[in-house]
Amino acid sequence: MSQAAEKFFQHNSALPTMPEVASRLIRSFDDDNISLAALADLIGKDASLSAKVLRLANSARYSPSHQISTLQDAAAALGMETLRNLSLAACMAGAFPKVKGLDRGVFWRHGVTTAAYARILAKMVKLDAETAYLAGLMLRTGQILMALAESDKVAEVETLAVEPGSRFSLEQHRFDCTHADVTASLARHWHFPAAMVEAFADANTPMEVRPFSLMAAVLHMAEVLADAAQNKDNPTHALQVAVPELIEHLHLDLAFLAAKLEAAGDVASDVEQLLG
């Protein structure tokens, strides 16, 4: 574990608390028998989260045919994966404070976009898509802890990070670690599975790590794609510029990926409801 990353945890007050509902949602990944009704009941234990999920379920992105007024209705309309992913996104966005140096709306729009793109990439390389969504959602959260300690440096990184994927090297130069390293430390403090902790730590330079980590590669590429979406750059061209050796190593079908990204549309169009 990076010692440079651990310095952001020297004050216990800096460590956000993993929301109980989020923890139980994550555990539900391994429960093949969990029902939609049980998931809705779990979300219902948190009034604020329930309100956010209902607002999302009624939003234009999911274009419900009728007004959705209960979590059971939301569960039926959205389905298991979407319900769980939206709830996790709302939980995570609520767990972290607003910080100087990062625009909260822009930050979580990027996080939700990274999560959605990680899910698409995971399906292409035969990884678990829901785990990839959670990891993508978490990937930049370490940067919030960095901003709590050194907001001016983080703001400077964000000003300079105009090339998709450049945040990693800009942070490494200034902090001797990256947001992914700090997220790995946070995931370890939160008792995430060791494989996910490792994937965060390896996401900086996935081609340099042995054994090769598919999840780390997916996370790195998803962040590049989210950067490109934020800049309104061509996403697959951004990948070719940022990580050509990774595309080659994975034999990634860029035309297929482009079609999937196009079909997904604006995956973070409802981020305001997550933050409300």
Side-chain angles (χ1 to χ4, degrees):
M1 191 56 60
S2 165
Q3 282 188 312
E6 277 295 316
K7 75 181 177 197
F8 294 105
F9 297 88
Q10 282 165 1
H11 304 292
N12 286 338
S13 59
L15 182 63
T17 305
M18 161 73 88
E20 175 58 25
V21 172
S23 180
R24 292 172 71 177
L25 284 167
I26 291 165
R27 287 203 297 274
S28 76
F29 283 9
D30 297 323
D31 183 356
D32 294 334
N33 299 316
I34 192 165
S35 65
L36 259 177
L39 206 57
D41 286 346
L42 175 57
I43 293 160
K45 294 182 190 307
D46 184 319
S48 169
L49 177 60
S50 302
K52 287 176 185 175
V53 169
L54 286 174
R55 279 204 303 273
L56 285 160
N58 281 296
S59 68
R61 180 166 175 77
Y62 300 102
S63 50
S65 54
H66 63 282
Q67 179 73 20
I68 290 172
S69 54
T70 69
L71 281 174
Q72 284 68 29
D73 276 355
L78 298 172
M80 178 81 78
E81 290 177 0
T82 301
L83 178 66
R84 184 161 47 197
N85 289 344
L86 285 177
S87 302
L88 272 171
C91 279
M92 289 302 175
F96 291 91
K98 183 188 267 189
V99 291
K100 189 180 166 213
L102 290 172
D103 179 299
R104 190 163 184 250
V106 171
F107 180 89
W108 284 108
R109 167 175 275 276
H110 186 278
V112 169
T113 304
T114 303
Y117 290 170
R119 194 169 181 273
I120 290 168
L121 288 163
K123 288 187 169 183
M124 287 179 68
V125 298
K126 307 289 191 288
L127 273 179
D128 182 74
E130 302 320 302
T131 303
Y133 182 95
L134 170 63
L137 188 65
M138 284 278 297
L139 181 60
R140 258 184 82 195
T141 54
Q143 197 183 19
I144 296 175
L145 301 183
M146 296 163 84
L148 281 170
E150 301 192 60
S151 59
D152 290 347
K153 274 194 193 175
V154 168
E156 180 190 15
V157 165
E158 287 310 295
T159 302
L160 294 172
V162 289
E163 294 297 323
S166 61
R167 187 177 290 106
F168 293 101
S169 58
L170 287 165
E171 288 173 343
Q172 187 66 44
H173 179 65
R174 283 159 182 77
F175 298 100
D176 205 25
C177 65
T178 75
H179 59 282
D181 293 315
V182 183
T183 300
S185 284
L186 175 61
R188 188 169 58 80
H189 284 286
W190 274 359
H191 307 295
F192 271 45
M196 197 181 288
V197 174
E198 281 299 317
F200 289 134
D202 294 346
N204 301 305
T205 50
M207 283 300 290
E208 293 175 18
V209 177
R210 293 293 176 270
F212 180 77
S213 165
L214 256 185
M215 182 63 82
V218 160
L219 291 176
H220 191 103
M221 291 189 295
E223 181 163 324
V224 171
L225 290 171
D227 288 349
Q230 186 171 297
N231 298 349
K232 303 206 167 20
D233 294 338
N234 178 294
T236 51
H237 176 70
L239 268 189
Q240 285 173 301
V241 171
V243 286
E245 66 289 349
L246 207 48
I247 294 168
E248 191 178 338
H249 183 75
L250 295 171
H251 307 293
L252 212 59
D253 184 337
L254 291 182
F256 181 77
L257 174 60
K260 286 288 183 187
L261 297 175
E262 179 80 21
D266 182 0
V267 292
S269 58
D270 296 319
V271 80
E272 286 74 21
Q273 276 100 329
L274 284 181
L275 302 175

